[in-house]
Amino acid sequence: MTEWKEFSVAVNNEAKEAVSSILMELGSSGVSISDRHDFLQLPEYCEDTLWDLDEKDFPEDGVIIKGYFTEYDELDRIEKDLTHQIKELNNYGIAIDHLSITINDVKVEEWSSAWKKHYHPVNVTRFLTIVPQWETYEKSFSDERVAYLDPGLAFGTGTHPTTQLCLQALETCVFPEAKLFDVGTGSGILSIAAHLFGAKEVHAYDLDEVAVKSARDNIKLNKLEEIIQVRANDLLKGINAKADIIAANILTEVILPFIPDAYERLEDNGYFIASGIIMDKKDKVIESLLEHDFEILQINQMKDWVAIISKKIKKEE
């Protein structure tokens, strides 16, 4: 029976992205983050999300970040390097508070069965339901679309507000024969949903090779590997083709410099769906979109998160 080592890092919230990156750079097969803020932001999390979550699993302070390594990895070196690199973050302006690292044994078969029992279908919109691959599901409506998903270790199930906002926006914007770019695809759920909503050609991009593999696995699970193309790429750099719709569920800090590229890679009157925007940064994104000749069509909010649907306005020559 294969055994895994779970490195569990308790640290302040401000350091979670950096610590997650360190774990991945050290060779973790995936990263999970238990963040009370995310837990509280999930809409009606007790019944209407894929996960049947237990509040006791989420820390009162800070976050718990877990990385996974096999019993064949150099575990002593990994523990030493992990501790050293996290403490070094102080030198880069990232304060480290109440740091603790624990290592636990995890048998992969026991692990899989333990978390799968908490994973259920969720009706994201009237026309879209996300279903775990190991569950049987019968449609409630004849026009209901079903996306099957195995989120694996590192990427989401489609229930986070930013993803739900994107899925709802896709339902509004996608039209038959549309060509779509999914930037920062993660689990691939946006690409899958886009095709189910009618997009004819879908291209999914992510900088993270682990995300690319996750997306490919989920796309294959839905038998769409001949339709949805996935590749590792830094946003849309080096992509010369144009799309009718660009969906980007990424951080505000990445969206802002990406807006000019989105404009260039859209057909005239094409739609740009930007999500992953925290409420207090909404105005900055709107201002930048307007400056780059986008028309704001919708601003949708769920808890503290915002998604903006905008349209490319052709510049007068």
Side-chain angles (χ1 to χ4, degrees):
M1 184 177 288
T2 303
E3 289 193 358
W4 290 72
K5 295 291 184 178
E6 177 188 81
F7 281 65
S8 183
V9 182
V11 71
N12 51 303
N13 191 286
E14 293 77 8
K16 70 179 180 181
E17 298 296 340
V19 172
S20 299
S21 295
I22 290 171
L23 282 165
M24 294 301 292
E25 289 170 2
L26 289 174
S28 175
S29 295
V31 173
S32 68
I33 302 174
S34 296
D35 184 338
R36 178 165 291 272
H37 180 267
D38 288 343
F39 171 75
L40 295 175
Q41 294 300 317
L42 286 170
E44 300 181 26
Y45 54 80
C46 290
E47 297 179 358
D48 293 341
T49 61
L50 292 173
W51 288 94
D52 183 10
L53 300 176
D54 188 341
E55 189 170 359
K56 296 191 296 295
D57 293 336
F58 291 79
E60 291 288 344
D61 298 307
V63 296
I64 296 176
I65 307 164
K66 295 179 180 180
Y68 298 91
F69 301 85
T70 72
E71 57 189 318
Y72 306 107
D73 290 321
E74 299 179 54
L75 300 173
D76 290 340
R77 177 190 60 78
I78 290 169
E79 181 180 9
K80 181 179 177 181
D81 289 350
L82 177 63
T83 303
H84 174 73
Q85 290 187 43
I86 292 174
K87 290 181 177 179
E88 282 287 300
L89 292 174
N90 283 298
N91 298 330
Y92 297 94
I94 302 175
I96 300 299
D97 297 326
H98 53 264
L99 171 67
S100 69
I101 300 174
T102 58
I103 303 173
N104 300 303
D105 293 329
V106 180
K107 288 183 171 62
V108 68
E109 290 83 356
E110 296 174 0
W111 177 26
S112 297
S113 60
W115 65 268
K116 284 181 180 180
K117 68 182 181 182
H118 298 294
Y119 187 38
H120 309 291
V122 59
N123 301 108
V124 180
T125 75
R126 156 66 176 79
F127 296 101
L128 178 67
T129 300
I130 302 176
V131 179
Q133 64 164 327
W134 50 84
E135 285 211 6
T136 301
Y137 179 79
E138 293 186 7
K139 293 182 179 181
S140 300
F141 309 96
S142 60
D143 55 357
E144 181 180 356
R145 285 83 161 176
V146 177
Y148 292 93
L149 199 66
D150 180 357
L153 285 172
F155 302 97
T157 59
T159 60
H160 191 275
T162 61
T163 310
Q164 288 209 15
L165 288 166
C166 258
L167 291 167
Q168 293 164 5
L170 286 173
E171 187 175 275
T172 300
C173 297
V174 172
F175 55 90
E177 306 299 308
K179 180 177 180 179
L180 180 139
F181 293 159
D182 175 11
V183 180
T185 189
S187 66
I189 185 58
L190 297 185
S191 291
I192 294 165
H195 174 71
L196 294 177
F197 287 142
K200 181 180 180 181
E201 185 178 346
V202 180
H203 297 265
Y205 305 102
D206 204 294
L207 184 61
D208 192 326
E209 291 283 0
V210 179
V212 170
K213 182 182 185 304
S214 175
R216 282 180 177 152
D217 289 345
N218 284 315
I219 288 164
K220 184 176 181 180
L221 179 64
N222 287 272
K223 298 181 173 59
L224 297 176
E225 61 267 36
E226 298 300 321
I227 298 170
I228 302 173
Q229 307 301 314
V230 188
R231 59 178 276 194
N233 205 74
D234 184 359
L235 302 175
L236 291 179
K237 293 178 180 177
I239 306 298
N240 296 317
K242 290 191 175 185
D244 301 297
I245 304 166
I246 294 175
N249 183 18
I250 49 183
L251 297 173
T252 304
E253 291 75 12
V254 182
I255 288 174
L256 287 169
F258 175 61
I259 289 172
D261 289 339
Y263 186 93
E264 292 300 323
R265 300 274 65 81
L266 275 173
E267 300 284 0
D268 293 340
N269 298 313
Y271 297 106
F272 179 35
I273 301 169
S275 191
I277 304 165
I278 198 71
M279 188 64 185
D280 62 6
K281 297 180 179 179
K282 175 190 71 174
D283 291 341
K284 288 183 179 179
V285 178
I286 292 173
E287 181 181 352
S288 182
L289 285 167
L290 294 174
E291 287 177 353
H292 290 89
D293 296 299
F294 280 99
E295 176 188 355
I296 307 299
L297 300 181
Q298 288 185 27
I299 301 171
N300 300 327
Q301 182 179 350
M302 184 179 291
K303 302 294 183 179
D304 292 333
W305 298 97
V306 171
I308 301 171
I309 304 175
S310 58
K311 183 171 72 172
K312 173 180 176 176
I313 303 171
K314 184 178 179 180
K315 295 178 181 177
E316 294 185 4
E317 297 181 357

